[in-house]
Amino acid sequence: MTREFKIAMLGFGSAGKAFAKLLMDKHEEILEKYKNDIKVVAISTNSKGSIINEEGIDLESALFDIENLNKFNEKRKCYSKLNSMEIAKTVNYDVIMELTPLQIFTGQPAIDHIKIALNRKKHAITANKGPIAWAYEELRELAKKQNSLFYYETTVMDGTPVFNLVEETLDLCKVTQVNGILNSTTNFILEEIAEGKAYDDVMVEGKKRGFIEADPAMDIEGWDAAAKTAVLLNVLMDANINPSDIDRRGIEDITKEQIEDAEKRGNIIKLICHGSIKNGEIIGKVEPKEISKDHIYSNIKGTSSVLTITTDLMRDITVIEHESEIEQTAYGVFSDLLRVIKNRI
């Protein structure tokens, strides 16, 4: 028997739009394989309006509005003035999908969006690092109490299985250390400077190509990497820390001369995320480090990323995501949706 499954999407930026396209593509396959008729019943945005239709939103029309009008058409019957918090509280949905922009120093309002959903005994999926970096333990325990499912695969390496890998295939392994290159902006900047380009020219080119945000400070100063490190340590090692607890140093002080000196030693400089146990305490660190050109990390370029998980039973396992695009982020959210459908209570 076919069951309806309703999604409320909070946020409709690049990842949200890519997810909507993927969902339209795979709707019939999900229906055939899982006997679930997936309907998006609400989409909220901060500046482009909201739309609500508990019978199911026409995603093609929603995408048309955003891509052509840069907002939802106020003349549509489903147009709404409800904000994300009001939608989380009032709309009838099965799962809330938290896709709002990251607020790196608080994790809000994404944390409250998820709390509201879980308190209503709804399931929750987040692509937003904030809730996992700032309130993972609280949200995990609330989900357990409410018998709800709570997934967050997209928060570190897009759709690349990291948390699924550990949870589903490394049973009874204890994670003792994590290392990785997890920020594509710094990757790009360091590579371009190493090729002899001036810093200002690299920034202009990176913004033009979409690698670098209008305000790249969160990446360059290591905050994005610190948030991802906190996420990894919270989920994989029960650290219960936040980004401000990470010993953080970005690439803002790295000079062309330092990069050239490293090159003479047969090394390159990368921004490395690290977490481990020291004297019984879990510590996290983000810092630029010299990496030998013989090391696997030296080949991580552009939007690629890498993570090495060290466990007591399987030692080191390294996962590489090659040249990620927004479609990989969309798949991460999509894979969490499929997990909810398969495991829904």
Side-chain angles (χ1 to χ4, degrees), residues 82-124:
L82 292 185
N83 62 32
S84 57
M85 211 68 76
E86 292 165 335
I87 285 173
K89 288 176 182 177
T90 61
V91 171
N92 179 27
Y93 55 83
D94 295 296
V95 62
I96 204 160
M97 197 168 279
E98 222 307 328
L99 306 173
T100 64
L102 170 65
Q103 297 298 323
I104 207 160
F105 299 116
T106 64
Q108 292 289 13
I111 293 169
D112 284 345
H113 290 153
I114 294 170
K115 279 185 186 177
I116 289 166
L118 295 176
N119 278 317
R120 293 181 65 194
K121 298 185 183 297
K122 308 297 185 182
H123 307 302

Side-chain angles (χ1 to χ4, degrees), residues 19 73 103 132 135 148 182 187 204 220 231 252 283 295 329-330:
F19 168 77
N73 190 339
Q103 297 298 323
I132 313 301
S148 295
L182 301 172
N187 235 8
V204 170
I220 291 171
V231 167
E252 64 270 31
I283 59 163
H295 196 285
T329 307

Side-chain angles (χ1 to χ4, degrees), residues 47-92:
S47 60
K48 297 175 174 61
S50 300
I51 48 177
I52 299 171
N53 183 349
E54 294 195 9
E55 298 303 311
I57 289 167
D58 180 344
L59 292 177
E60 196 167 346
S61 296
L63 287 164
F64 178 88
D65 284 354
I66 296 298
E67 289 169 3
N68 291 276
L69 306 176
N70 198 33
K71 63 178 182 178
F72 292 125
N73 190 339
E74 296 179 25
K75 294 180 180 178
R76 294 192 188 278
K77 287 183 180 179
C78 59
Y79 186 84
S80 172
K81 292 185 178 180
L82 292 185
N83 62 32
S84 57
M85 211 68 76
E86 292 165 335
I87 285 173
K89 288 176 182 177
T90 61
V91 171
N92 179 27

Side-chain angles (χ1 to χ4, degrees), residues 246-262:
I246 304 297
D247 182 3
R248 173 192 54 81
R249 184 161 62 92
I251 67 164
E252 64 270 31
D253 296 325
I254 298 296
T255 64
K256 183 180 178 182
E257 288 71 29
Q258 287 174 300
I259 292 172
E260 289 172 349
D261 286 345

Side-chain angles (χ1 to χ4, degrees), residues 87-220:
I87 285 173
K89 288 176 182 177
T90 61
V91 171
N92 179 27
Y93 55 83
D94 295 296
V95 62
I96 204 160
M97 197 168 279
E98 222 307 328
L99 306 173
T100 64
L102 170 65
Q103 297 298 323
I104 207 160
F105 299 116
T106 64
Q108 292 289 13
I111 293 169
D112 284 345
H113 290 153
I114 294 170
K115 279 185 186 177
I116 289 166
L118 295 176
N119 278 317
R120 293 181 65 194
K121 298 185 183 297
K122 308 297 185 182
H123 307 302
I125 293 168
T126 182
N128 188 326
K129 294 181 284 293
I132 313 301
W134 285 93
Y136 172 67
E137 187 176 272
E138 180 185 4
L139 295 173
R140 180 191 64 192
E141 295 309 307
L142 178 58
K144 286 180 184 176
K145 178 184 173 185
Q146 299 297 84
N147 215 18
S148 295
L149 300 169
F150 176 40
Y151 296 134
Y152 33 80
E153 189 62 71
T154 319
T155 53
V156 173
M157 287 178 73
D158 305 307
T160 306
V162 172
F163 305 121
N164 290 348
L165 173 70
V166 173
E167 183 180 338
E168 297 184 9
T169 67
L170 296 176
D171 199 17
L172 296 185
C173 285
K174 180 183 178 182
V175 176
T176 58
Q177 186 168 292
V178 293
N179 289 282
I181 299 172
L182 301 172
N183 182 271
S184 58
T185 298
T186 53
N187 235 8
F188 173 76
I189 292 170
L190 291 171
E191 285 165 24
E192 295 292 289
I193 294 174
E195 289 181 8
K197 296 179 183 176
Y199 180 85
D200 289 344
D201 292 340
V202 172
M203 299 303 286
V204 170
E205 176 67 15
K207 289 176 183 179
K208 189 184 298 182
R209 294 172 59 184
F211 287 132
I212 300 177
E213 300 287 344
D215 179 6
M218 292 298 101
D219 295 305
I220 291 171

